[in-house]
Amino acid sequence: MFYSSGNYEAFARPRKPAGVDDKTAWFVGAGLSSLSGAAFLIRDGQMPGNKITILEELKLPGGALDGIKEPKKGFVIRGGREMENHFECLWDLFRSIPSDEVDGSVLDEFYWLNKDDPNFSLERATVNQGQSAQTKNLFTLNDRAQKDVTKIFLATREEMEGKRINEVFSQDFFESNFWMYWRTMFAFEDWHSALEMKLYLHRFVHHIGGLPDFSALKFTKYNQYESLVLPLYKWLLDQGVTFKFDTEVTDVDFDLTADRKQATRIHWVSDGVAGGVDLGPNDLLLMTIGSLTENSDEGNHHTPAKLNEGPAPAWDLWRRIAAKDKAFGNPDVFGGHIPETKWESATVTTLDQRIPEYIQKICKRDPFSGKVVTGGIVTAKDSSWLLSWTVNRQPHFKQQSKDQIVVWVYSLFVDKPGDYVKKTMQECTGEEITQEWLYHMGVPVEDIPELAANAAKTVPVMMPYVTAFFMPRKAGDRPDVVPKGSVNFAFIGQFAETSRDCIFTTEYSVRTGMEAAYQLLDIERGVPEVFNSTYDIRSLLAATSRLRDGDPVHIPGPEILRRKLLQKLDDTEVGELLSEFGLIGDKK
């Protein structure tokens, strides 16, 4: 496995791998990691598409990247994805996938859209029923909180393994705007992994300055299912890839020795009938393990969503596989803590002009303009649920009526009583969730019941495992993409381990699919490096300045700085340099 050193590998065309015409490939799951892995096998591995089969429990592809209109309920989006310019693997993939919207690729469409309509927020947070929180984009990190952030940034991975966020940060940090911005944007809870927090700080240090107003983010034209999944799915079908829906993979057999591991059979139940296929060394198997949207339950405007703690096929499959070899990970570290990994979202569809007037008052943009609306989530800072909501470019669905607005709402604290409804979000119907949201948008309390009943239709969704990958973990809890000794199989998706990148991103899913395809076929091309802003002193100094609520630093050109820019500094050297310039206190 090697990584691209730049355009040398990126622009070169890999030769056809030896023996590829004699191979087949099987994928477990039809989420983004499988779809991208199949695309890389075809594009860069030159594997015929008719040699690839994707097995999926559901009736449609896309996994967590969903977006659908339920005839009787309304539009449903369980979650949204924030993207940026340095998702190197994602954009490497979509430069090759034709767009349904423009004469060009999906990347062309995305690039032109965000050039013409750049994203930024005009109101990040509210208090007191829709009033501006007047954060002035300040992080409000005092000296102790700044030192907390610096300490975590400079710590080793081993020092953060198995620890929770609330074990390594002080109360001063938790009272800052920075934590409010951070946790609501990324869905971090106090009890989540300090290691993942550290990895996020490193991965997105170049975007610290854009955190308060989301100017670092970019979004698709429609929901991610229609903008990303469908074009990729259509392309794969055109290449001859077979999709077997309504097919639950129940187990995988392996031939395991001390230095060689081979998958030998896939077991499944398809349309209620047990079946499977035997695998030889030339039959590749790429398995999505775990699932953040497993056992999701939809309510409707008059019925709450339920918490489904029953059998979870994706997690049960990983448990059966993991029991066969310690190199296959520890699924219960992530999937065995539903009270800590659940949260709820809701999709609100407005039915007339009344609610959009309040949206426009807060976001300061016309929601019907077809351009950026909120520019990211708006957090009700004083909400007992810690409720956030967002309106993307409208229409958010191609089927959406021109007089409708689709809003995504989510809360981190689903077990606390609301401020208006006085019930937990988990107990609420779609109508009651709408009431709580309208309250925090500043709708007069006497108007809330009527607007919630007749001016909107809301679908709540409870997801038991949605933040499972944020649970505190140690080395080995997630299996390597291609475990040592594997001759024909790989693990892909959010619960497979790949170096340095961070989970809960579309980039991570695509990266694991790319790494798996390249390693199993020995493709002569490097996987794009994770963007190295964590080693760029310009990014580090600018981020440090913003953490101190200062203006971004403009780097001078003394020889000492120019020399440092040419080096990849380790964390200790970074700390010494920042201390040298007086940006993190004394050198101790």
Side-chain angles (χ1 to χ4, degrees), residues 532-561:
N532 278 328
S533 57
T534 189
Y535 298 116
D536 186 332
I537 194 62
R538 295 164 297 184
S539 297
L540 292 172
L541 290 175
T544 303
S545 177
R546 281 295 288 116
L547 290 173
R548 300 174 68 189
D549 288 329
D551 294 326
V553 172
H554 298 284
I555 304 303
E559 183 62 25
I560 182 174
L561 283 180

Side-chain angles (χ1 to χ4, degrees), residues 1-35:
M1 181 68 193
F2 69 98
Y3 289 93
S4 169
S5 61
N7 294 339
Y8 181 68
E9 278 92 13
F11 292 167
R13 184 165 61 91
R15 290 173 292 189
K16 190 172 185 176
V20 67
D21 289 333
D22 299 323
K23 297 181 184 292
T24 68
W26 297 81
F27 286 84
V28 177
L32 183 59
S33 54
S34 287
L35 300 180

Side-chain angles (χ1 to χ4, degrees), residues 163-174:
K163 292 184 178 178
R164 302 188 305 270
I165 291 172
N166 58 15
E167 292 179 306
V168 298
F169 285 99
S170 65
Q171 187 60 35
D172 294 47
F173 173 80
F174 292 120

Side-chain angles (χ1 to χ4, degrees), residues 397-417:
F397 289 81
K398 294 181 181 180
Q399 294 178 289
Q400 192 176 323
S401 298
K402 293 182 179 180
D403 59 349
Q404 294 179 336
I405 298 295
V406 169
V407 186
W408 185 72
V409 178
Y410 98 100
S411 297
L412 282 176
F413 305 149
V414 298
D415 292 323
K416 293 185 177 182

Side-chain angles (χ1 to χ4, degrees), residues 508-538:
Y508 198 91
S509 293
V510 176
R511 181 173 291 276
T512 59
M514 191 178 200
E515 289 188 1
Y518 279 31
Q519 290 185 70
L520 291 178
L521 279 189
D522 194 20
I523 293 172
E524 292 183 331
R525 184 173 185 257
V527 174
E529 261 281 13
V530 176
F531 184 55
N532 278 328
S533 57
T534 189
Y535 298 116
D536 186 332
I537 194 62
R538 295 164 297 184

Side-chain angles (χ1 to χ4, degrees), residues 97-112:
I97 306 303
S99 168
D100 291 336
E101 296 292 311
V102 302
D103 182 14
S105 69
V106 171
L107 175 57
D108 293 332
E109 172 195 336
F110 186 89
Y111 180 76
W112 297 335

Side-chain angles (χ1 to χ4, degrees), residues 193-235:
S193 168
L195 174 57
E196 299 302 344
M197 179 79 176
K198 171 183 170 61
L199 293 178
Y200 263 71
L201 285 168
H202 284 275
R203 178 64 170 83
F204 297 115
V205 68
H206 57 292
H207 286 324
I208 292 293
L211 188 62
D213 68 356
F214 294 125
S215 57
L217 301 183
K218 294 171 172 58
F219 293 94
T220 53
K221 182 175 182 179
Y222 301 107
N223 60 84
Q224 283 87 53
Y225 182 76
E226 291 183 282
S227 286
L228 297 179
V229 172
L230 281 183
L232 180 53
Y233 174 54
K234 292 176 183 177
W235 185 84

